[in-house]
Amino acid sequence: MRHSPLILLVASITVAVLVAPGLRAQSCYDYENNLCWKGNIPLRGGGGSSVLGHIAGSADEFGVAYERDGFMLYETTSDPLSPNVYGPIPSYGLFHAVVTDQEFYWVADSDSGLVLIDARDPGTMHIEDVINVPATGVGMSRDYIMCAAQDNSFTLVDNNPADPKIVDSTTLPGAGWAVCEAQDMQHAYVACWDAGLAVVDVTTSPPTVVDTVGIMTNAVSVCVHDTLLFVGGSNAYFTYGTLEVLSVSDPAHPYHLTGVSCAPPWDVDYIDNHLYASGYDLSIFGLEGGVFPSLEERVTMTGQAKGGVLATNDYCYVVVNPSWTDAGGVNVLAKPTHSFRSAHNTWNVVQDAMDIVAGDGYAYVLQYTSPLAITAVDLSTGMASDTATALNSVDPNCLTQWGDYLLVATEEDGLYVFEIVSPGDVEHISQVDFPDNENFEEVAAYDQFAYCAAETCIIVVDMNVPTNPIMLNAIDGETQNGLPGLDVYGDVMYAAFENYDGALAIRAYDLGADPVDPPVLGETATVADSYPEELDAVGGMVYVAGPHGLTIADFTDPTHPAWRSQTTMGWIAYSVEVSGTWAYVASDDDGVYVVDCADPVHPEIVGHVCAQPPMSDDPCAVALHGDDVLFVDWDSYLGVGYRMCDEVLDVPEHDDTFVARPGLRQNHPNPFNPKTSVTYSLPTDGHARVGVYNVAGRLVATLVDGPQSAGEHVAVWDGRTDAGEEAASGVYFCRLETEESSRSISMVLLK
């Protein structure tokens, strides 16, 4: 999935057109403005045994009723990540739902009924009373504690901690799971597992079920805001769910507005036009037009989020069970949102996809089929425009674009060449076989040559006549033993491989000196217990996707390369594409990670691009095209998501919907010697700092540090440090910092 220098040049020209004055990007996403996982408040005494846990409270104090591990109180005023913890108060049976007025907590218990806990003095927190009433879900109103139970009962208890009494009861149309009060304070909304939503008039005696509304799955959670009601549901096996939106403009008679498929939402909370749903992970939905839920973010928890969620202005708290680890407790996430963005298009266009490249409005998808096939997909429509096959071919591995040609490395059949006759029109034109039936995993291109990497060597192919490729040489891999990654940047070819000790290393070859038999410039030390799936080389830095996530190596001095970092991801990283200082990493089970590599020593995961059902979050390859992130899964789907907005563009005066952000454009020239110019823009007057940093993150030179007016500015670096000394050749990072945000670009000083 690599591009030749010709393609890189075309891509850079395209970007320049997109960011011309008077235009702005129409589809990008600021993943830095993210909801980020901050830590876990563990259960007292270890991992615990609860499967479910429910939460109620405020930003300063909340209580959690753990199913089997009792009730605990958390005071977060001093430190949300390390709160004062009180308890546990053991359950009689299994604790379920909990509600509070911040002095008393009412907890549903499977054996004893409704447990009243006095938390006015956390140090002496105790059970004040137990009301013998069936309760699974509980809700609170000014007058009542409302109890819904799985025996179909609905009971009102006097909201008087000094003397709580059963006031009245009725029968629900199904098993009660959750309950909340209507905005008119005269009705209750009950999630009934097998009967949808029940509306109960609590002003009558006995309470009256005045309406029921069916939902697509079994109702398990309910939340109300203003004139909207949100109902979470699950199938019988808790493998998928729905989140549905109902209008309660007439509180007694809700009606269905819309809904989305999602993981089973055990609990739902609302704040700032967003819904927070705990369903194995935490899902955050924005409400488009204030009504229609759209998945914006999904954050992986330390265990399974099968319980409560509490969203406050600054933090989000999610109850997780220990799963198979000892990581149960309360996960803490910092706001504002949102880092996880769903693909805005998902197309079922191919069969058995395994690799992808893109250009000129089309994606070209390599299929793991026999015979080998490449399908062209029109990115404006999502329709396949052409499929080219190569007869008698088997087991393709890698796809690379080289000018108007597509190169495919195969396991045993060598190199296949396809021509892009016109955008979207592909033809197979040639094939060259190699000796010894090597397993060729990667292919890269340089000038008129192609390079095919196998387990023990790199084959050099003359592509001067694409219809008649000729093998010229086999570069001995020596210590090479694994399936290599391969890429070319400038005049240097980088080969990542697993050596005989099962460790990862990267070797650099000087193609400028001799493209047929290139000398070795340098090789990194090894990283134990690792191997490459794919690599991307940009500006002297090499980014490797592998079993431990993203690994970055510094080849700015190719004779003395050095490893800079390794960023662990959820599962195996199969593919990586880098643009500027942003890396997009396709990771099994986790979608596409968006990684800020402005500081390669400390790269930061700022978000994800995730699939929309029915596409899985198991991407095997990623590519970039214009404003889009393209990714394919192992099955038949192509997802199209948003790239990171890392540059502020000029905005037409009539466009009032776009909020400008500070921006930093790529320096020019780049590489440079001895000086270069950096253009940055500010949406408002304010303090700005522009600094140059080395790859270790140390400040080298300060270009700007003071008040700046709104608009576009230019800073010039003369290649000297703040001490007046000449900076050494290498990669540097220019960072713009304002009160709102920060932006970075990489620059290469070559002497």
Side-chain angles (χ1 to χ4, degrees), residues 88-454:
I89 292 179
S91 63
Y92 292 91
L94 298 177
F95 274 165
H96 293 300
V98 57
V99 292
T100 184
D101 61 4
Q102 298 302 134
E103 291 187 346
F104 293 88
Y105 287 81
W106 305 77
V107 184
D109 184 271
S110 63
D111 285 2
S112 61
L114 188 63
V115 178
L116 174 61
I117 298 174
D118 185 344
R120 289 175 292 181
D121 179 3
T124 60
M125 182 175 64
H126 62 279
I127 294 178
E128 179 71 14
D129 206 341
V130 178
I131 301 92
N132 186 14
V133 57
T136 302
V138 291
M140 175 179 283
S141 71
R142 180 187 60 188
D143 299 322
Y144 303 115
I145 303 300
M146 302 170 288
C147 302
Q150 295 186 23
D151 65 357
N152 294 22
S153 65
F154 177 84
T155 306
L156 298 178
V157 176
D158 189 2
N159 187 0
N160 178 13
D163 188 21
K165 297 179 180 178
I166 297 175
V167 176
D168 220 331
S169 64
T170 192
T171 301
L172 296 169
W177 275 61
V179 58
C180 70
E181 183 188 29
Q183 296 289 75
D184 67 354
M185 296 185 292
Q186 298 179 11
H187 296 85
Y189 301 119
V190 184
C192 296
W193 170 261
D194 47 357
L197 177 77
V199 183
V200 182
D201 186 339
V202 298
T203 65
T204 63
S205 181
T208 307
V209 177
V210 295
D211 201 358
T212 58
V213 182
I215 71 166
M216 292 180 282
T217 50
N218 301 301
V220 296
S221 58
V222 62
C223 171
V224 67
H225 173 74
D226 198 15
T227 60
L228 294 178
L229 182 68
F230 309 101
V231 183
S234 172
N235 71 333
Y237 303 101
F238 292 95
T239 55
Y240 68 85
T242 56
L243 182 59
E244 301 183 43
V245 183
L246 287 75
S247 171
V248 287
S249 54
D250 177 356
H253 301 287
Y255 61 89
H256 192 270
L257 293 175
T258 186
V260 294
S261 298
C262 59
W266 297 88
D267 193 18
V268 180
D269 200 7
Y270 172 97
I271 192 171
D272 296 335
N273 203 43
H274 286 82
L275 293 174
Y276 297 77
S278 62
Y280 299 108
D281 295 328
L282 175 68
S283 298
I284 298 96
F285 297 85
L287 295 178
E288 297 179 359
V291 175
F292 302 99
S294 174
L295 181 65
E296 290 187 353
E297 183 175 358
R298 195 179 69 202
V299 185
T300 302
M301 302 290 101
T302 59
Q304 291 185 340
K306 295 172 66 176
V309 56
L310 173 65
T312 69
N313 288 329
D314 298 314
Y315 291 92
C316 184
Y317 302 93
V318 184
V319 182
V320 299
N321 76 334
S323 188
W324 53 84
T325 70
D326 289 331
V330 179
N331 279 198
V332 183
L333 300 99
K335 294 176 65 181
T337 63
H338 311 280
S339 63
F340 199 103
R341 188 73 179 181
S342 294
H344 54 81
N345 281 313
T346 299
W347 297 319
N348 186 346
V349 292
V350 295
Q351 177 183 354
D352 299 324
M354 67 175 306
D355 208 346
I356 183 173
V357 297
D360 294 329
Y362 286 84
Y364 301 94
V365 182
L366 177 64
Q367 299 169 237
Y368 192 79
T369 56
S370 183
L372 182 159
I374 296 176
T375 295
V377 181
D378 186 338
L379 294 176
S380 66
T381 64
M383 302 295 292
S385 63
D386 187 27
T387 297
T389 59
L391 299 178
N392 303 318
S393 58
V394 295
D395 298 337
N397 279 326
C398 174
L399 175 66
T400 292
Q401 187 169 358
W402 172 63
D404 291 331
Y405 299 92
L406 300 174
L407 310 179
V408 180
T410 66
E411 288 195 10
E412 297 181 358
D413 288 341
L415 177 69
Y416 282 78
V417 183
F418 292 76
E419 182 180 4
I420 303 174
V421 179
S422 62
D425 183 8
V426 184
E427 292 183 2
H428 172 232
I429 61 171
S430 63
Q431 182 255 344
V432 57
D433 203 356
F434 304 136
D436 300 328
N437 291 324
E438 284 273 12
N439 181 8
F440 292 93
E441 287 288 329
E442 290 283 348
V443 58
Y446 171 79
D447 196 13
Q448 66 180 43
F449 301 97
Y451 301 86
C452 296

